[in-house]
Amino acid sequence: MPDSLQIDVFWSFRSPWSYLATPRLRQWQREYDLEVRFRPVYPIAIRTPEFFETANPQWFSYFFTDLRRVAEYLELPLEWPKPDPVASRPGKNGRPDYAVEQPHIHRLTRLGVLAQEHGRGIEFADEVSTLLWTGTADWNEGDHLALASERAGLELAELDRAAEAECDRLDAIIETNQADHHAAGHWGVPTCAFRGEGFFGQDRLDVLLWRLEQSGLKRR
């Protein structure tokens, strides 16, 4: 058996639930002999946009009610990103129509892959999602992303150069992440996978930790 246990974390920069889970995942990697493998995927609005066309109208109101409640429970600030990482425009029946060109979410997801390759994946996810989901206006401008990357131990300019030069390779990795996400047994994020078991949702992290401890997880 390897010295450290490993989990895969399938995660989206557009998911507030991913943001709410990430501080705990980052803390686990610090406190336990655990490798948290950050595997970013595109949000469901990009992967399966028809999901929103067929969702029960009550889904939207409950989603936002529950989201605000859980953020308050976790004592984490939460505001919808400005701008939204996924570009859209009003569509039929008041539901969004997602643009073909997606500069923000494609860039962020590719950067996330690179951050993991540099060994700083969950740190990058935590710093950038905090930037997005705590009300930072125009997070995509100025030095906001550069400072978040620096806090994660990375240099944004270097990552951006690699993301532009290696976009085909990075897109192939994202597609593999999405296939493995599907194989883990769920379509939503965050989904963590450990030894053939999927754990969907920030509210299943306690169950995942219990399973890891059953499997010999030790503190550092």
Side-chain angles (χ1 to χ4, degrees), residues 10-218:
F10 302 103
W11 189 103
S12 161
F13 284 96
R14 211 260 184 138
S15 163
W17 299 113
S18 292
Y19 153 66
L20 293 176
T22 307
R24 281 169 283 168
L25 293 168
R26 185 177 184 177
Q27 181 180 5
W28 287 5
Q29 186 158 264
R30 286 195 303 263
E31 293 186 359
Y32 295 97
D33 192 12
L34 176 70
E35 179 187 354
V36 177
R37 296 189 295 202
F38 177 60
R39 303 188 62 185
V41 300
Y42 287 128
I44 199 166
I46 301 299
R47 289 182 286 121
T48 318
E50 61 271 19
F51 172 86
F52 298 100
E53 297 174 7
T54 58
N56 187 304
Q58 288 183 308
W59 182 90
F60 296 92
S61 60
Y62 183 81
F63 174 90
F64 287 106
T65 297
D66 194 39
L67 181 61
R68 288 190 294 268
R69 178 171 55 211
V70 172
E72 182 180 357
Y73 171 74
L74 294 173
E75 298 182 343
L76 290 173
L78 179 69
E79 293 185 37
W80 202 265
K82 311 178 190 70
D84 192 318
V86 174
S88 67
R89 60 187 178 190
K92 58 185 178 182
N93 300 322
R95 299 187 180 182
D97 182 11
Y98 297 103
V100 174
E101 295 295 326
Q102 292 290 339
H104 301 317
I105 199 62
H106 288 165
R107 178 192 182 195
L108 290 172
T109 309
R110 290 166 183 160
L111 291 176
V113 172
L114 288 165
Q116 177 59 28
E117 290 181 345
H118 283 75
R120 306 296 294 173
I122 200 64
E123 294 85 356
F124 183 80
D126 188 30
E127 296 294 345
V128 174
S129 64
T130 298
L131 173 69
L132 268 62
W133 292 97
T134 57
T136 305
D138 300 320
W139 58 263
N140 57 311
E141 298 180 5
D143 61 357
H144 294 307
L145 271 175
L147 292 174
S149 300
E150 184 178 315
R151 290 191 293 271
L154 297 163
E155 182 183 346
L156 180 63
E158 177 185 341
L159 295 178
D160 271 331
R161 285 192 295 269
E164 185 173 350
E166 304 176 47
C167 60
D168 290 343
R169 181 183 73 85
L170 298 172
D171 287 347
I173 292 173
I174 294 165
E175 289 183 9
T176 298
N177 288 350
Q178 292 176 168
D180 290 347
H181 178 200
H182 177 79
H186 208 280
W187 60 93
V189 291
T191 291
C192 298
F194 174 66
R195 294 183 178 174
E197 281 190 285
F199 299 80
F200 165 65
Q202 63 82 32
D203 55 337
R204 290 297 181 267
L205 290 186
D206 288 344
V207 179
L208 172 57
L209 184 59
W210 165 76
R211 178 65 85 211
L212 289 166
E213 289 172 338
Q214 281 187 327
S215 303
L217 182 67
K218 302 296 183 184

